[in-house]
């Protein structure tokens, strides 16, 4: 699924993001603020990957992306890539079984297992906050 922001020449603004995400916007802010609080040296940036995918937002350290935030129409997705240590920590945690199942089913690449989780409301809020902590700590 493509980003709601598709014009390469136009980096999304905060107002455009608020309008696009609607009621999901506070959750985007929560995940962004939580990540930067736990890892203040992180760099956050908009990234245009291609016409096929459009704009995404990423928060990264020097070597890897901690979290991807993928804006859609009235919702967004969070995406993570977890190495084996982080995967093991997730499977041993109290994170929802749905997320654990998706992680176990994800194809394993050299950089780890990638998952995308749709955010429309607060249902998975605590799980995502925990995933951010696991990603940073592993």
């Amino acid at each position: 699924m493509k980003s709601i922001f598709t014009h390469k020449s136009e980096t999304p603004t905060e107002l455009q993001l608020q309008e696009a995400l609607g009621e999901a916007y506070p959750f985007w802010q929560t995940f962004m603020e939580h990540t930067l609080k736990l890892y203040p040296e992180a760099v956050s940036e908009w990234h245009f990957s291609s016409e096929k995918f459009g704009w995404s937002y990423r928060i990264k350290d020097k070597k890897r992306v901690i979290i991807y935030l993928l804006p859609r129409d009235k919702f967004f997705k969070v995406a993570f890539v977890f190495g084996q240590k982080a995967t093991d920590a997730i499977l041993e945690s109290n994170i929802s079984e749905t997320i654990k199942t998706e992680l176990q089913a994800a194809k394993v690449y050299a950089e780890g297992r990638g998952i995308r989780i749709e955010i429309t409301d607060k249902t998975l809020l605590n799980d995502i906050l925990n995933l951010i902590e696991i990603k940073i700590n592993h």
Side-chain angles (χ1 to χ4, degrees):
M1 182 182 274
K2 194 181 233 185
S3 171
I4 192 160
F5 302 116
T6 57
H7 300 292
K8 185 176 184 175
S9 61
E10 289 181 41
T11 305
T13 67
E14 201 65 25
L15 182 59
Q16 288 171 322
L17 181 64
Q18 282 180 302
E19 290 172 356
L21 298 183
E23 293 180 11
Y25 177 75
F27 308 118
W28 175 293
Q29 287 298 109
T30 298
F31 300 149
M32 192 175 78
E33 289 167 5
H34 185 69
T35 304
L36 294 172
K37 179 181 167 195
L38 292 175
Y39 197 92
E41 304 84 26
V43 175
S44 54
E45 64 184 9
W46 282 101
H47 177 76
F48 189 88
S49 55
S50 68
E51 293 291 331
K52 183 178 177 183
F53 298 109
W55 287 95
S56 65
Y57 194 80
R58 49 180 70 179
I59 303 174
K60 60 186 187 172
D61 65 15
K62 292 178 184 152
K63 298 182 287 186
R64 64 193 178 144
V65 174
I66 298 167
I67 185 172
Y68 299 86
L69 299 165
L70 313 169
R72 304 296 188 254
D73 188 9
K74 302 301 176 210
F75 73 100
F76 65 98
K77 292 185 177 191
V78 295
F80 296 95
V81 177
F82 295 108
Q84 192 59 50
K85 289 179 188 172
T87 298
D88 292 343
I90 292 164
L91 297 177
E92 294 169 13
S93 74
N94 63 355
I95 286 172
S96 80
E97 291 301 319
T98 305
I99 292 173
K100 290 179 183 179
T101 301
E102 185 175 339
L103 183 61
Q104 287 177 306
K107 187 172 180 177
V108 180
Y109 294 94
E111 61 274 12
R113 298 171 188 256
I115 60 169
R116 291 181 179 193
I117 303 163
E118 192 170 297
I119 306 298
T120 56
D121 58 35
K122 65 180 181 178
T123 305
L124 296 173
L125 182 72
N126 288 328
D127 283 333
I128 302 304
L129 296 176
N130 289 330
L131 289 174
I132 292 166
E133 289 184 41
I134 290 170
K135 176 70 179 186
I136 288 171
N137 293 324
H138 292 87

